[in-house]
């Protein structure tokens, strides 16, 4: 039963081509967006309206696929189909591109900072995940590891919220989990279950669960089980096992390209090629909610955009404020009225 409603707050429509990604800064006061128009735009609030504060351009020669903020909020990373990642430093007041990271063979699909700020991860159509060490001044980025365990294009990488563990999603239908081991990074788990490309991943606030969405039009919830767990789930060595504990299907009619698990409310937002947004809430009244969780659709926005919705992002400080972006060149801000 749907109890909530998504109310459109504002449309931001200055990008000239499809908008691939939106990302809030850690304080929730700025929204970065990136586009096939080769620009990054940074939006901020003036009075009651969100306005474009800055346009970052001339550093990428092709589509900019994703943007990500550092945990301190002073740096913004952008990655592109031109196979480079740019680091923008705003400590001087204006954004300045202070580093360009090269090494991937072709299109970079995602970039993300670790919660410590000391590591950066990128992934690419070249099937690899790169982990970069960041020096204290963010002036030097050194490649610490190249992980080539996926057999196809890697679509997204996400860090665990409070430890140095990385998850990746791929066109090979799998999710991989990486940790550091004796100064090198290794793959400790492969999560299999999706029947087509895995597009997006999001940890819950504890990091014990991971949500994934796919071209197969399903959302899966994976739970981490530690060695010697009470449920008798088998583990290998001293590494946890990730098990799919819930599958949500029938809510989208086309591939699900993005999902984001809100750290404030626990709500899960999804975006799809069917132009729709869906919001799910966990039903904590079920018998074994820990090991057999259930989620209910609480809000739905059909035709949220005129074309594919590529990304959704919850504001980290304002409960219910959601940003979405689309092939229709627009960014929309929504407020969830949770009934």
């Amino acid at each position: 039963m749907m109890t909530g409603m998504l109310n459109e707050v504002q449309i931001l429509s200055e990008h000239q081509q499809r908008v691939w990604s939106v990302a809030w800064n850690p304080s929730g006061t700025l929204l970065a967006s990136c586009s096939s128009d080769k620009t990054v735009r940074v939006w901020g609030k003036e009075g009651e309206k969100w306005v474009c504060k800055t346009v970052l351009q001339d550093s990428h020669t092709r589509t900019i696929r994703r943007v990500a903020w550092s945990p301190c909020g002073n740096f913004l990373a952008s990655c592109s189909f031109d196979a480079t990642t740019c680091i923008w430093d705003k400590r001087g007041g204006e954004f300045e591109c202070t580093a360009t990271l090269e090494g991937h063979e072709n299109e970079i699909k995602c970039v993300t900072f670790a919660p410590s700020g000391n590591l950066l991860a990128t992934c690419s159509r070249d099937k690899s995940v790169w982990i970069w060490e960041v020096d204290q001044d963010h002036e030097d980025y050194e490649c610490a590891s190249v992980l080539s365990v996926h057999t196809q294009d890697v679509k997204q990488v996400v860090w665990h919220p409070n430890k140095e563990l990385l998850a990746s999603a791929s066109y090979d239908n799998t999710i991989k989990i990486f940790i550091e081991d004796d100064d090198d990074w290794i793959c400790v788990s492969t999560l299999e279950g999706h029947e087509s490309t895995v597009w997006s991943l999001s940890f819950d606030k504890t990091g014990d669960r991971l949500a994934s969405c796919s071209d197969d039009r399903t959302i899966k919830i994976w739970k981490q089980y530690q060695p010697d767990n009470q449920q008798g789930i088998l583990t290998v060595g001293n590494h946890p096992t990730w098990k799919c504990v819930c599958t949500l299907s029938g809510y989208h009619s086309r591939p699900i390209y993005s999902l984001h698990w809100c750290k404030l409310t626990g709500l899960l937002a999804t975006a799809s090629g069917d132009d729709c947004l869906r919001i799910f809430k966990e039903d904590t009244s079920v018998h074994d909610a820990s090991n057999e969780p259930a989620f209910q659709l609480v809000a739905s926005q059909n035709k949220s955009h005129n074309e594919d919705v590529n990304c959704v992002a919850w504001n980290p400080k304002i409960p219910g404020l959601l940003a979405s972006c689309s092939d229709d060149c627009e960014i929309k801000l929504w407020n969830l009225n949770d009934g």
Side-chain angles (χ1 to χ4, degrees):
M1 188 178 85
M2 286 196 287
T3 56
M5 181 178 288
L6 278 170
N7 298 312
E8 189 180 288
V9 175
Q10 195 178 337
I11 300 174
L12 310 177
S13 53
E14 292 188 26
H15 279 294
Q16 303 304 304
Q17 294 181 46
R18 72 177 54 171
V19 188
W20 279 109
S21 167
V22 282
W24 296 98
N25 71 339
S27 62
T29 56
L30 296 173
L31 180 72
S33 60
C34 63
S35 165
S36 292
D37 66 14
K38 305 175 201 156
T39 70
V40 173
R41 290 179 181 267
V42 180
W43 311 80
K45 207 168 185 185
E46 288 186 2
E48 290 303 303
K49 290 290 181 187
W50 291 83
V51 299
C52 183
K53 298 275 199 182
T54 313
V55 181
L56 309 179
Q57 53 194 355
D58 302 328
S59 285
H60 289 293
T61 59
R62 292 183 63 195
T63 288
I64 304 176
R65 184 62 175 84
R66 196 169 289 266
V67 280
W69 295 89
S70 64
C72 66
N74 286 327
F75 302 91
L76 181 67
S78 60
C79 66
S80 168
F81 287 1
D82 67 11
T84 70
T85 299
C86 290
I87 309 295
W88 304 86
D89 183 346
K90 77 176 188 74
R91 287 177 297 181
E94 301 289 321
F95 284 89
E96 180 186 1
C97 181
T98 54
T100 300
L101 313 185
E102 298 178 344
H104 280 290
E105 291 173 20
N106 45 39
E107 295 100 318
I108 303 178
K109 299 297 179 74
C110 187
V111 60
T112 178
F113 282 96
S116 65
N118 298 328
L119 296 167
L120 183 81
T122 55
C123 65
S124 165
R125 194 165 72 87
D126 67 13
K127 309 175 190 174
S128 71
V129 172
W130 287 45
I131 295 174
W132 308 78
E133 290 178 348
V134 185
D135 78 355
Q136 286 187 327
D137 294 326
H138 282 256
E139 288 170 4
D140 189 37
Y141 289 75
E142 185 178 342
C143 179
S145 193
V146 175
L147 301 159
S148 299
V149 292
H150 282 291
T151 59
Q152 298 288 341
D153 183 357
V154 189
K155 299 294 187 185
Q156 193 184 10
V157 278
V158 291
W159 291 99
H160 187 283
N162 48 45
K163 60 183 170 189
E164 290 182 343
L165 176 150
L166 185 73
S168 61
S170 171
Y171 186 65
D172 67 13
N173 308 354
T174 72
I175 300 158
K176 304 277 188 186
I177 305 288
F178 303 96
I179 62 166
E180 192 173 19
D181 182 64
D182 289 337
D183 287 340
D184 199 11
W185 286 80
I186 58 169
C187 176
V188 291
S189 296
T190 298
L191 283 51
E192 296 177 302
H194 281 296
E195 295 173 3
S196 191
T197 300
V198 187
W199 283 102
S200 182
L201 305 169
S202 185
F203 283 101
D204 73 357
K205 67 179 179 182
T206 67
D208 289 337
R209 296 185 300 175
L210 178 69
S212 61
C213 64
S214 166
D215 224 66
D216 67 14
R217 306 190 298 280
T218 70
I219 301 141
K220 290 185 181 290
I221 308 295
W222 309 80
K223 182 177 175 179
Q224 175 180 240
Y225 288 90
Q226 298 293 344
D228 302 321
N229 61 82
Q230 292 180 330
Q231 289 74 30
I233 309 289
L234 289 176
T235 59
V236 178
N238 57 356
H239 300 303
T241 289
W242 290 84
K243 178 175 181 271
C244 180
V245 292
C246 179
T247 299
L248 300 170
S249 60
Y251 293 101
H252 286 288
S253 60
R254 292 200 59 224
I256 307 170
Y257 292 128
S258 177
L259 86 174
H260 192 207
W261 208 330
C262 183
K263 307 297 187 279
L264 297 176
T265 64
L267 294 169
L268 191 62
T270 58
S272 167
D274 61 14
D275 311 344
C276 301
L277 299 175
R278 305 280 187 249
I279 310 295
F280 299 90
K281 185 176 189 176
E282 189 166 1
D283 181 356
T284 54
S285 68
V286 296
H287 169 61
D288 187 7
S290 175
N291 299 296
E292 296 179 18
F295 289 78
Q296 295 179 336
L297 182 68
V298 292
S300 189
Q301 187 68 39
N302 294 331
K303 292 293 171 190
S304 61
H305 286 271
N306 293 324
E307 296 183 52
D308 292 8
V309 191
N310 294 316
C311 185
V312 279
W314 293 107
N315 185 287
K317 298 295 182 186
I318 304 169
L321 180 59
L322 182 73
S324 63
C325 64
S326 166
D327 281 3
D328 67 10
C329 309
E330 292 185 338
I331 299 156
K332 291 190 180 182
L333 300 180
W334 308 86
N335 188 48
L336 177 68
N337 184 333
D338 202 8

